[in-house]
Amino acid sequence: MAASKYLTGDPSAIDAFLDKFDTFLIDCDGVLWSGDHVFDGIPETIKLLQSKGKRTVFVTNNSTKSRKEYFAKLSSKGIPCQVEDIFGSSYSAAIYISRILKLEPPRNKVFVLGEAGIEAELESEGIPYIGGTDPAYRKLGMEPADFAGIADGSSLDPDVGVVLAGLDFHVNYYKLAHAHGYLRGNHIKDAKNAKNGGKAVFLATNIDSTLPMYHSFFPGAGSASIVALSNMTGDQPLALGKPSQAMMDAVEGKFHLDRTRTCMIGDRLNTDIQFGVEGHLGGTLAVLTGVNKKEDWERTDAPAVPAYYVDGLADLRGASN
Amino acid sequence: MAASKYLTGDPSAIDAFLDKFDTFLIDCDGVLWSGDHVFDGIPETIKLLQSKGKRTVFVTNNSTKSRKEYFAKLSSKGIPCQVEDIFGSSYSAAIYISRILKLEPPRNKVFVLGEAGIEAELESEGIPYIGGTDPAYRKLGMEPADFAGIADGSSLDPDVGVVLAGLDFHVNYYKLAHAHGYLRGNHIKDAKNAKNGGKAVFLATNIDSTLPMYHSFFPGAGSASIVALSNMTGDQPLALGKPSQAMMDAVEGKFHLDRTRTCMIGDRLNTDIQFGVEGHLGGTLAVLTGVNKKEDWERTDAPAVPAYYVDGLADLRGASN
């Protein structure tokens, strides 16, 4: 495999790089900012790309925020964009449910393990859901009636056809027990004759094991709810976030992009760079302001190797500064 | 491997079986009862064994009840026993911490992910703990200050040396984030020079993936908290419940039993029967009133094969009825 090309401080290489692409898919956490701290020169860099006629699409695995909330954050940081230029794992999941799964009523309801970002995107696609931020599921401990109602399905909703799990800061045993009941098909009376034995389809927005925050790590969507459910049922969910190619297909379908003229920019090898490589994009660019460093992709067991790298995204201004 | 010998309805085989053993280690759920329903003839069978001079020890992976609570349940069902004859995974964990780990103060405190049964057993061994049923940890959602305090360790207890995870019906993101902080060593200021980088020792009472209740299955200790933490840290806990031989060593140490004259009785191949086989006991007896059936141990990939089996434990009365 060819070595990754280093662009920082090399104006002619940067010009050649920019000329290769029409569209840049840009990860947010670790590329544009760390938490609330935007890296130096980021707004100017995005503006530069746009002034050269490049399309900038923001692609994030964070499911807790909707596209509108991401738009608000990008705008408040001075990064020019439109709501339509944002693609999150919650939106990816909603698109998958509405346009690929196309569940027939009445079994078209989604049980949500997650926050408001998922709910907003399901609503935008007109998908009915329960769970999520509903205070009725924000409960600690189990009453005997809770066990009984989940076991015989009497307290479950017979219309649930999907369990969608993402990052949920309010995850608890009561919610997990409900999700597990739907994945087992406890809510379907005639389970033997039902599709897939009455079991709900298991989807995940993303399976990141940890969530980088406050210069430390916290339980990610993959750990706090998804592996718990997988460990009980023995089944893995279809994950709709990077590096899932279901997300790439959705991005391509929406933006009608030419993959050979598209570059994925990110800080994580096993999500961002792998996403671009497996999607056969024209290029991938790693930045060193987030999770992975150069030594990570120089290992023989690296999940993916970027075609280009820069110290930080703002180094792309090199040619024009 | 020799075929399992079927004892039901064969008085002479039962007599020969009973003559081989002085001590019976008996699992509870699926052997004595299912939930609150005691199987027919169980109290009489236990009395019969005791009248023949056999020692009956009750060995359970359920960590939510203390030995005293198990004693109360056994007694209320007419099953004669003493508190000393009961060995649970919580007690096993407490014994391991106090007598094997022997943590030096001040870093000898245990962060508990679990219910009152674990707390009672830690108290019986004089082990200090935090977490558990403390209402302060029964919290849904995360404030910015919660993230900040766990990340820099300022809201964590510097004396925690162990994270002990068991079945916790009140598990939530806030508790998981604390446990993860201790497993990372966020609470130790001079982590580089601390033992194991300041990371707390990761123990589990048991790793059962599901909990059979109300003729269905619910999230077990292994799923609701333990795989979540393992997925974040990449480390597996030392599990103190069956089939862990740490539990067998603790049982042997306490009862001074002759393993060749001891038989393990249970319904689960991958906990009870494996526990007896790997512990080189004189025998193992499977009952068909719980999780596993004959076809399960006849598979080539069976985790363990019992030496004997009966339809139900009460069939051991055959010779004397």
Side-chain angles (χ1 to χ4, degrees), chain A residues 9-42:
Chain A
D10 188 342
S12 63
I14 290 171
D15 281 340
F17 165 80
L18 294 177
D19 284 346
K20 284 178 185 283
F21 306 107
D22 300 323
T23 303
F24 291 93
L25 306 182
I26 306 171
D27 177 42
C28 299
D29 292 300
V31 177
L32 306 178
W33 54 57
S34 172
D36 269 343
H37 171 70
V38 177
F39 301 130
D40 285 346
I42 290 296

PDB file of all heavy atoms in Angstrom, chain A residues 9-42:
ATOM      1  N   GLY A   9       2.063  22.283   5.111  1.00  0.00           N
ATOM      2  CA  GLY A   9       3.223  23.083   4.724  1.00  0.00           C
ATOM      3  C   GLY A   9       3.709  22.851   3.303  1.00  0.00           C
ATOM      4  O   GLY A   9       4.818  23.261   2.947  1.00  0.00           O
ATOM      5  N   ASP A  10       2.891  22.212   2.471  1.00  0.00           N
ATOM      6  CA  ASP A  10       3.304  21.903   1.092  1.00  0.00           C
ATOM      7  C   ASP A  10       2.245  22.439   0.121  1.00  0.00           C
ATOM      8  O   ASP A  10       1.375  21.704  -0.347  1.00  0.00           O
ATOM      9  CB  ASP A  10       3.453  20.390   0.951  1.00  0.00           C
ATOM     10  CG  ASP A  10       4.057  19.979  -0.393  1.00  0.00           C
ATOM     11  OD1 ASP A  10       4.052  20.807  -1.330  1.00  0.00           O
ATOM     12  OD2 ASP A  10       4.511  18.827  -0.496  1.00  0.00           O
ATOM     13  N   PRO A  11       2.298  23.772  -0.195  1.00  0.00           N
ATOM     14  CA  PRO A  11       1.231  24.419  -0.979  1.00  0.00           C
ATOM     15  C   PRO A  11       0.932  23.750  -2.309  1.00  0.00           C
ATOM     16  O   PRO A  11      -0.229  23.616  -2.688  1.00  0.00           O
ATOM     17  CB  PRO A  11       1.765  25.843  -1.185  1.00  0.00           C
ATOM     18  CG  PRO A  11       2.688  26.068  -0.035  1.00  0.00           C
ATOM     19  CD  PRO A  11       3.336  24.731   0.214  1.00  0.00           C
ATOM     20  N   SER A  12       1.940  23.283  -3.012  1.00  0.00           N
ATOM     21  CA  SER A  12       1.646  22.703  -4.327  1.00  0.00           C
ATOM     22  C   SER A  12       0.937  21.360  -4.168  1.00  0.00           C
ATOM     23  O   SER A  12       0.039  21.022  -4.948  1.00  0.00           O
ATOM     24  CB  SER A  12       2.928  22.555  -5.152  1.00  0.00           C
ATOM     25  OG  SER A  12       3.819  21.657  -4.522  1.00  0.00           O
ATOM     26  N   ALA A  13       1.323  20.603  -3.133  1.00  0.00           N
ATOM     27  CA  ALA A  13       0.642  19.322  -2.887  1.00  0.00           C
ATOM     28  C   ALA A  13      -0.807  19.562  -2.474  1.00  0.00           C
ATOM     29  O   ALA A  13      -1.710  18.810  -2.859  1.00  0.00           O
ATOM     30  CB  ALA A  13       1.379  18.535  -1.801  1.00  0.00           C
ATOM     31  N   ILE A  14      -1.037  20.624  -1.704  1.00  0.00           N
ATOM     32  CA  ILE A  14      -2.403  20.950  -1.276  1.00  0.00           C
ATOM     33  C   ILE A  14      -3.245  21.339  -2.486  1.00  0.00           C
ATOM     34  O   ILE A  14      -4.383  20.882  -2.640  1.00  0.00           O
ATOM     35  CB  ILE A  14      -2.384  22.076  -0.222  1.00  0.00           C
ATOM     36  CG1 ILE A  14      -1.787  21.553   1.093  1.00  0.00           C
ATOM     37  CG2 ILE A  14      -3.812  22.612   0.012  1.00  0.00           C
ATOM     38  CD1 ILE A  14      -1.517  22.626   2.123  1.00  0.00           C
ATOM     39  N   ASP A  15      -2.677  22.141  -3.382  1.00  0.00           N
ATOM     40  CA  ASP A  15      -3.429  22.529  -4.586  1.00  0.00           C
ATOM     41  C   ASP A  15      -3.801  21.303  -5.416  1.00  0.00           C
ATOM     42  O   ASP A  15      -4.935  21.178  -5.885  1.00  0.00           O
ATOM     43  CB  ASP A  15      -2.601  23.497  -5.441  1.00  0.00           C
ATOM     44  CG  ASP A  15      -2.650  24.918  -4.886  1.00  0.00           C
ATOM     45  OD1 ASP A  15      -3.596  25.201  -4.121  1.00  0.00           O
ATOM     46  OD2 ASP A  15      -1.746  25.716  -5.202  1.00  0.00           O
ATOM     47  N   ALA A  16      -2.838  20.392  -5.556  1.00  0.00           N
ATOM     48  CA  ALA A  16      -3.093  19.182  -6.346  1.00  0.00           C
ATOM     49  C   ALA A  16      -4.179  18.338  -5.675  1.00  0.00           C
ATOM     50  O   ALA A  16      -5.050  17.769  -6.346  1.00  0.00           O
ATOM     51  CB  ALA A  16      -1.809  18.371  -6.485  1.00  0.00           C
ATOM     52  N   PHE A  17      -4.119  18.282  -4.347  1.00  0.00           N
ATOM     53  CA  PHE A  17      -5.118  17.528  -3.573  1.00  0.00           C
ATOM     54  C   PHE A  17      -6.508  18.122  -3.782  1.00  0.00           C
ATOM     55  O   PHE A  17      -7.468  17.400  -4.109  1.00  0.00           O
ATOM     56  CB  PHE A  17      -4.716  17.558  -2.093  1.00  0.00           C
ATOM     57  CG  PHE A  17      -5.798  17.139  -1.133  1.00  0.00           C
ATOM     58  CD1 PHE A  17      -6.076  15.791  -0.910  1.00  0.00           C
ATOM     59  CD2 PHE A  17      -6.539  18.103  -0.438  1.00  0.00           C
ATOM     60  CE1 PHE A  17      -7.074  15.405  -0.018  1.00  0.00           C
ATOM     61  CE2 PHE A  17      -7.532  17.727   0.457  1.00  0.00           C
ATOM     62  CZ  PHE A  17      -7.801  16.369   0.664  1.00  0.00           C
ATOM     63  N   LEU A  18      -6.628  19.443  -3.640  1.00  0.00           N
ATOM     64  CA  LEU A  18      -7.942  20.083  -3.746  1.00  0.00           C
ATOM     65  C   LEU A  18      -8.530  19.923  -5.151  1.00  0.00           C
ATOM     66  O   LEU A  18      -9.740  19.779  -5.309  1.00  0.00           O
ATOM     67  CB  LEU A  18      -7.846  21.571  -3.369  1.00  0.00           C
ATOM     68  CG  LEU A  18      -7.494  21.848  -1.903  1.00  0.00           C
ATOM     69  CD1 LEU A  18      -7.345  23.357  -1.668  1.00  0.00           C
ATOM     70  CD2 LEU A  18      -8.532  21.271  -0.955  1.00  0.00           C
ATOM     71  N   ASP A  19      -7.640  19.924  -6.144  1.00  0.00           N
ATOM     72  CA  ASP A  19      -8.114  19.803  -7.531  1.00  0.00           C
ATOM     73  C   ASP A  19      -8.757  18.450  -7.821  1.00  0.00           C
ATOM     74  O   ASP A  19      -9.521  18.310  -8.771  1.00  0.00           O
ATOM     75  CB  ASP A  19      -6.946  20.009  -8.514  1.00  0.00           C
ATOM     76  CG  ASP A  19      -6.581  21.486  -8.628  1.00  0.00           C
ATOM     77  OD1 ASP A  19      -7.391  22.326  -8.163  1.00  0.00           O
ATOM     78  OD2 ASP A  19      -5.493  21.793  -9.148  1.00  0.00           O
ATOM     79  N   LYS A  20      -8.425  17.451  -6.989  1.00  0.00           N
ATOM     80  CA  LYS A  20      -8.935  16.097  -7.245  1.00  0.00           C
ATOM     81  C   LYS A  20     -10.393  15.915  -6.844  1.00  0.00           C
ATOM     82  O   LYS A  20     -11.013  14.909  -7.223  1.00  0.00           O
ATOM     83  CB  LYS A  20      -8.114  15.066  -6.458  1.00  0.00           C
ATOM     84  CG  LYS A  20      -6.746  14.741  -7.024  1.00  0.00           C
ATOM     85  CD  LYS A  20      -6.056  13.744  -6.072  1.00  0.00           C
ATOM     86  CE  LYS A  20      -4.624  13.458  -6.509  1.00  0.00           C
ATOM     87  NZ  LYS A  20      -4.548  12.545  -7.654  1.00  0.00           N
ATOM     88  N   PHE A  21     -10.922  16.826  -6.015  1.00  0.00           N
ATOM     89  CA  PHE A  21     -12.235  16.560  -5.418  1.00  0.00           C
ATOM     90  C   PHE A  21     -13.243  17.692  -5.601  1.00  0.00           C
ATOM     91  O   PHE A  21     -12.876  18.868  -5.617  1.00  0.00           O
ATOM     92  CB  PHE A  21     -12.068  16.270  -3.912  1.00  0.00           C
ATOM     93  CG  PHE A  21     -11.083  15.160  -3.647  1.00  0.00           C
ATOM     94  CD1 PHE A  21      -9.823  15.439  -3.117  1.00  0.00           C
ATOM     95  CD2 PHE A  21     -11.409  13.841  -3.946  1.00  0.00           C
ATOM     96  CE1 PHE A  21      -8.900  14.415  -2.899  1.00  0.00           C
ATOM     97  CE2 PHE A  21     -10.499  12.820  -3.730  1.00  0.00           C
ATOM     98  CZ  PHE A  21      -9.233  13.107  -3.201  1.00  0.00           C
ATOM     99  N   ASP A  22     -14.520  17.284  -5.701  1.00  0.00           N
ATOM    100  CA  ASP A  22     -15.623  18.252  -5.735  1.00  0.00           C
ATOM    101  C   ASP A  22     -16.336  18.317  -4.391  1.00  0.00           C
ATOM    102  O   ASP A  22     -16.944  19.324  -4.053  1.00  0.00           O
ATOM    103  CB  ASP A  22     -16.676  17.835  -6.781  1.00  0.00           C
ATOM    104  CG  ASP A  22     -16.090  17.747  -8.169  1.00  0.00           C
ATOM    105  OD1 ASP A  22     -15.232  18.588  -8.496  1.00  0.00           O
ATOM    106  OD2 ASP A  22     -16.474  16.814  -8.906  1.00  0.00           O
ATOM    107  N   THR A  23     -16.316  17.186  -3.671  1.00  0.00           N
ATOM    108  CA  THR A  23     -17.076  17.085  -2.420  1.00  0.00           C
ATOM    109  C   THR A  23     -16.178  16.592  -1.292  1.00  0.00           C
ATOM    110  O   THR A  23     -15.396  15.652  -1.481  1.00  0.00           O
ATOM    111  CB  THR A  23     -18.247  16.089  -2.591  1.00  0.00           C
ATOM    112  OG1 THR A  23     -19.069  16.533  -3.680  1.00  0.00           O
ATOM    113  CG2 THR A  23     -19.083  16.001  -1.320  1.00  0.00           C
ATOM    114  N   PHE A  24     -16.323  17.233  -0.141  1.00  0.00           N
ATOM    115  CA  PHE A  24     -15.614  16.768   1.049  1.00  0.00           C
ATOM    116  C   PHE A  24     -16.641  16.359   2.103  1.00  0.00           C
ATOM    117  O   PHE A  24     -17.495  17.164   2.481  1.00  0.00           O
ATOM    118  CB  PHE A  24     -14.689  17.867   1.598  1.00  0.00           C
ATOM    119  CG  PHE A  24     -13.527  18.139   0.700  1.00  0.00           C
ATOM    120  CD1 PHE A  24     -13.593  19.146  -0.259  1.00  0.00           C
ATOM    121  CD2 PHE A  24     -12.377  17.355   0.778  1.00  0.00           C
ATOM    122  CE1 PHE A  24     -12.521  19.371  -1.122  1.00  0.00           C
ATOM    123  CE2 PHE A  24     -11.305  17.581  -0.083  1.00  0.00           C
ATOM    124  CZ  PHE A  24     -11.383  18.598  -1.039  1.00  0.00           C
ATOM    125  N   LEU A  25     -16.542  15.085   2.548  1.00  0.00           N
ATOM    126  CA  LEU A  25     -17.361  14.608   3.666  1.00  0.00           C
ATOM    127  C   LEU A  25     -16.508  14.815   4.912  1.00  0.00           C
ATOM    128  O   LEU A  25     -15.395  14.280   4.998  1.00  0.00           O
ATOM    129  CB  LEU A  25     -17.702  13.123   3.495  1.00  0.00           C
ATOM    130  CG  LEU A  25     -18.364  12.720   2.166  1.00  0.00           C
ATOM    131  CD1 LEU A  25     -18.672  11.210   2.178  1.00  0.00           C
ATOM    132  CD2 LEU A  25     -19.627  13.530   1.922  1.00  0.00           C
ATOM    133  N   ILE A  26     -17.005  15.599   5.852  1.00  0.00           N
ATOM    134  CA  ILE A  26     -16.169  16.045   6.973  1.00  0.00           C
ATOM    135  C   ILE A  26     -16.765  15.595   8.298  1.00  0.00           C
ATOM    136  O   ILE A  26     -17.913  15.934   8.634  1.00  0.00           O
ATOM    137  CB  ILE A  26     -16.048  17.587   6.953  1.00  0.00           C
ATOM    138  CG1 ILE A  26     -15.555  18.047   5.576  1.00  0.00           C
ATOM    139  CG2 ILE A  26     -15.117  18.059   8.071  1.00  0.00           C
ATOM    140  CD1 ILE A  26     -15.609  19.561   5.383  1.00  0.00           C
ATOM    141  N   ASP A  27     -15.985  14.797   9.050  1.00  0.00           N
ATOM    142  CA  ASP A  27     -16.365  14.433  10.412  1.00  0.00           C
ATOM    143  C   ASP A  27     -16.271  15.682  11.293  1.00  0.00           C
ATOM    144  O   ASP A  27     -15.547  16.631  10.953  1.00  0.00           O
ATOM    145  CB  ASP A  27     -15.403  13.345  10.907  1.00  0.00           C
ATOM    146  CG  ASP A  27     -15.673  12.953  12.341  1.00  0.00           C
ATOM    147  OD1 ASP A  27     -16.859  12.810  12.711  1.00  0.00           O
ATOM    148  OD2 ASP A  27     -14.692  12.786  13.100  1.00  0.00           O
ATOM    149  N   CYS A  28     -16.986  15.698  12.406  1.00  0.00           N
ATOM    150  CA  CYS A  28     -17.020  16.905  13.253  1.00  0.00           C
ATOM    151  C   CYS A  28     -16.131  16.788  14.494  1.00  0.00           C
ATOM    152  O   CYS A  28     -15.139  17.508  14.628  1.00  0.00           O
ATOM    153  CB  CYS A  28     -18.459  17.213  13.660  1.00  0.00           C
ATOM    154  SG  CYS A  28     -19.550  17.538  12.253  1.00  0.00           S
ATOM    155  N   ASP A  29     -16.485  15.851  15.439  1.00  0.00           N
ATOM    156  CA  ASP A  29     -15.704  15.719  16.676  1.00  0.00           C
ATOM    157  C   ASP A  29     -14.273  15.312  16.358  1.00  0.00           C
ATOM    158  O   ASP A  29     -14.044  14.309  15.683  1.00  0.00           O
ATOM    159  CB  ASP A  29     -16.324  14.651  17.595  1.00  0.00           C
ATOM    160  CG  ASP A  29     -17.679  15.087  18.151  1.00  0.00           C
ATOM    161  OD1 ASP A  29     -17.724  16.116  18.841  1.00  0.00           O
ATOM    162  OD2 ASP A  29     -18.680  14.393  17.886  1.00  0.00           O
ATOM    163  N   GLY A  30     -13.314  16.090  16.840  1.00  0.00           N
ATOM    164  CA  GLY A  30     -11.909  15.754  16.617  1.00  0.00           C
ATOM    165  C   GLY A  30     -11.355  16.322  15.321  1.00  0.00           C
ATOM    166  O   GLY A  30     -10.158  16.229  15.058  1.00  0.00           O
ATOM    167  N   VAL A  31     -12.237  16.891  14.479  1.00  0.00           N
ATOM    168  CA  VAL A  31     -11.793  17.493  13.212  1.00  0.00           C
ATOM    169  C   VAL A  31     -12.032  19.009  13.246  1.00  0.00           C
ATOM    170  O   VAL A  31     -11.127  19.804  13.003  1.00  0.00           O
ATOM    171  CB  VAL A  31     -12.534  16.872  12.009  1.00  0.00           C
ATOM    172  CG1 VAL A  31     -12.126  17.560  10.704  1.00  0.00           C
ATOM    173  CG2 VAL A  31     -12.260  15.372  11.933  1.00  0.00           C
ATOM    174  N   LEU A  32     -13.292  19.374  13.560  1.00  0.00           N
ATOM    175  CA  LEU A  32     -13.644  20.791  13.651  1.00  0.00           C
ATOM    176  C   LEU A  32     -13.407  21.320  15.058  1.00  0.00           C
ATOM    177  O   LEU A  32     -13.046  22.476  15.239  1.00  0.00           O
ATOM    178  CB  LEU A  32     -15.125  20.993  13.303  1.00  0.00           C
ATOM    179  CG  LEU A  32     -15.615  20.430  11.969  1.00  0.00           C
ATOM    180  CD1 LEU A  32     -17.108  20.692  11.822  1.00  0.00           C
ATOM    181  CD2 LEU A  32     -14.838  21.065  10.813  1.00  0.00           C
ATOM    182  N   TRP A  33     -13.698  20.434  16.027  1.00  0.00           N
ATOM    183  CA  TRP A  33     -13.653  20.873  17.427  1.00  0.00           C
ATOM    184  C   TRP A  33     -13.423  19.701  18.355  1.00  0.00           C
ATOM    185  O   TRP A  33     -13.499  18.535  17.953  1.00  0.00           O
ATOM    186  CB  TRP A  33     -14.978  21.577  17.780  1.00  0.00           C
ATOM    187  CG  TRP A  33     -16.212  20.748  17.477  1.00  0.00           C
ATOM    188  CD1 TRP A  33     -16.508  19.493  17.944  1.00  0.00           C
ATOM    189  CD2 TRP A  33     -17.314  21.130  16.640  1.00  0.00           C
ATOM    190  NE1 TRP A  33     -17.718  19.065  17.463  1.00  0.00           N
ATOM    191  CE2 TRP A  33     -18.247  20.046  16.657  1.00  0.00           C
ATOM    192  CE3 TRP A  33     -17.629  22.262  15.896  1.00  0.00           C
ATOM    193  CZ2 TRP A  33     -19.454  20.069  15.954  1.00  0.00           C
ATOM    194  CZ3 TRP A  33     -18.829  22.282  15.195  1.00  0.00           C
ATOM    195  CH2 TRP A  33     -19.726  21.199  15.222  1.00  0.00           C
ATOM    196  N   SER A  34     -13.133  20.025  19.617  1.00  0.00           N
ATOM    197  CA  SER A  34     -13.117  19.043  20.703  1.00  0.00           C
ATOM    198  C   SER A  34     -14.092  19.583  21.727  1.00  0.00           C
ATOM    199  O   SER A  34     -13.827  20.606  22.369  1.00  0.00           O
ATOM    200  CB  SER A  34     -11.715  18.923  21.309  1.00  0.00           C
ATOM    201  OG  SER A  34     -11.772  18.109  22.468  1.00  0.00           O
ATOM    202  N   GLY A  35     -15.239  18.927  21.861  1.00  0.00           N
ATOM    203  CA  GLY A  35     -16.286  19.446  22.739  1.00  0.00           C
ATOM    204  C   GLY A  35     -16.753  20.794  22.227  1.00  0.00           C
ATOM    205  O   GLY A  35     -17.173  20.916  21.072  1.00  0.00           O
ATOM    206  N   ASP A  36     -16.622  21.836  23.028  1.00  0.00           N
ATOM    207  CA  ASP A  36     -17.060  23.163  22.598  1.00  0.00           C
ATOM    208  C   ASP A  36     -15.928  24.034  22.054  1.00  0.00           C
ATOM    209  O   ASP A  36     -16.147  25.167  21.638  1.00  0.00           O
ATOM    210  CB  ASP A  36     -17.746  23.898  23.769  1.00  0.00           C
ATOM    211  CG  ASP A  36     -19.249  23.634  23.766  1.00  0.00           C
ATOM    212  OD1 ASP A  36     -19.766  23.174  22.719  1.00  0.00           O
ATOM    213  OD2 ASP A  36     -19.895  23.878  24.792  1.00  0.00           O
ATOM    214  N   HIS A  37     -14.708  23.506  22.046  1.00  0.00           N
ATOM    215  CA  HIS A  37     -13.553  24.278  21.599  1.00  0.00           C
ATOM    216  C   HIS A  37     -13.277  24.044  20.116  1.00  0.00           C
ATOM    217  O   HIS A  37     -12.861  22.958  19.699  1.00  0.00           O
ATOM    218  CB  HIS A  37     -12.328  23.874  22.435  1.00  0.00           C
ATOM    219  CG  HIS A  37     -11.051  24.437  21.914  1.00  0.00           C
ATOM    220  ND1 HIS A  37     -10.748  25.778  21.988  1.00  0.00           N
ATOM    221  CD2 HIS A  37     -10.000  23.850  21.277  1.00  0.00           C
ATOM    222  CE1 HIS A  37      -9.567  25.991  21.428  1.00  0.00           C
ATOM    223  NE2 HIS A  37      -9.096  24.839  20.997  1.00  0.00           N
ATOM    224  N   VAL A  38     -13.526  25.088  19.300  1.00  0.00           N
ATOM    225  CA  VAL A  38     -13.262  24.981  17.863  1.00  0.00           C
ATOM    226  C   VAL A  38     -11.776  25.224  17.609  1.00  0.00           C
ATOM    227  O   VAL A  38     -11.184  26.140  18.174  1.00  0.00           O
ATOM    228  CB  VAL A  38     -14.096  26.013  17.080  1.00  0.00           C
ATOM    229  CG1 VAL A  38     -13.759  25.953  15.596  1.00  0.00           C
ATOM    230  CG2 VAL A  38     -15.570  25.755  17.300  1.00  0.00           C
ATOM    231  N   PHE A  39     -11.170  24.387  16.789  1.00  0.00           N
ATOM    232  CA  PHE A  39      -9.746  24.539  16.498  1.00  0.00           C
ATOM    233  C   PHE A  39      -9.502  25.813  15.672  1.00  0.00           C
ATOM    234  O   PHE A  39     -10.360  26.236  14.885  1.00  0.00           O
ATOM    235  CB  PHE A  39      -9.224  23.317  15.731  1.00  0.00           C
ATOM    236  CG  PHE A  39      -9.410  22.011  16.465  1.00  0.00           C
ATOM    237  CD1 PHE A  39      -9.993  20.925  15.837  1.00  0.00           C
ATOM    238  CD2 PHE A  39      -9.026  21.873  17.802  1.00  0.00           C
ATOM    239  CE1 PHE A  39     -10.174  19.725  16.508  1.00  0.00           C
ATOM    240  CE2 PHE A  39      -9.203  20.667  18.485  1.00  0.00           C
ATOM    241  CZ  PHE A  39      -9.788  19.594  17.832  1.00  0.00           C
ATOM    242  N   ASP A  40      -8.326  26.389  15.823  1.00  0.00           N
ATOM    243  CA  ASP A  40      -7.962  27.620  15.111  1.00  0.00           C
ATOM    244  C   ASP A  40      -8.090  27.450  13.602  1.00  0.00           C
ATOM    245  O   ASP A  40      -7.647  26.436  13.049  1.00  0.00           O
ATOM    246  CB  ASP A  40      -6.499  28.001  15.430  1.00  0.00           C
ATOM    247  CG  ASP A  40      -6.366  28.588  16.829  1.00  0.00           C
ATOM    248  OD1 ASP A  40      -7.405  28.945  17.424  1.00  0.00           O
ATOM    249  OD2 ASP A  40      -5.220  28.656  17.322  1.00  0.00           O
ATOM    250  N   GLY A  41      -8.655  28.444  12.958  1.00  0.00           N
ATOM    251  CA  GLY A  41      -8.671  28.483  11.501  1.00  0.00           C
ATOM    252  C   GLY A  41      -9.724  27.617  10.831  1.00  0.00           C
ATOM    253  O   GLY A  41      -9.780  27.565   9.592  1.00  0.00           O
ATOM    254  N   ILE A  42     -10.539  26.942  11.601  1.00  0.00           N
ATOM    255  CA  ILE A  42     -11.523  26.026  10.997  1.00  0.00           C
ATOM    256  C   ILE A  42     -12.576  26.771  10.170  1.00  0.00           C
ATOM    257  O   ILE A  42     -12.811  26.402   9.003  1.00  0.00           O
ATOM    258  CB  ILE A  42     -12.171  25.131  12.074  1.00  0.00           C
ATOM    259  CG1 ILE A  42     -11.156  24.121  12.613  1.00  0.00           C
ATOM    260  CG2 ILE A  42     -13.407  24.412  11.513  1.00  0.00           C
ATOM    261  CD1 ILE A  42     -10.645  23.118  11.594  1.00  0.00           C
TER     262      ILE A  42
END
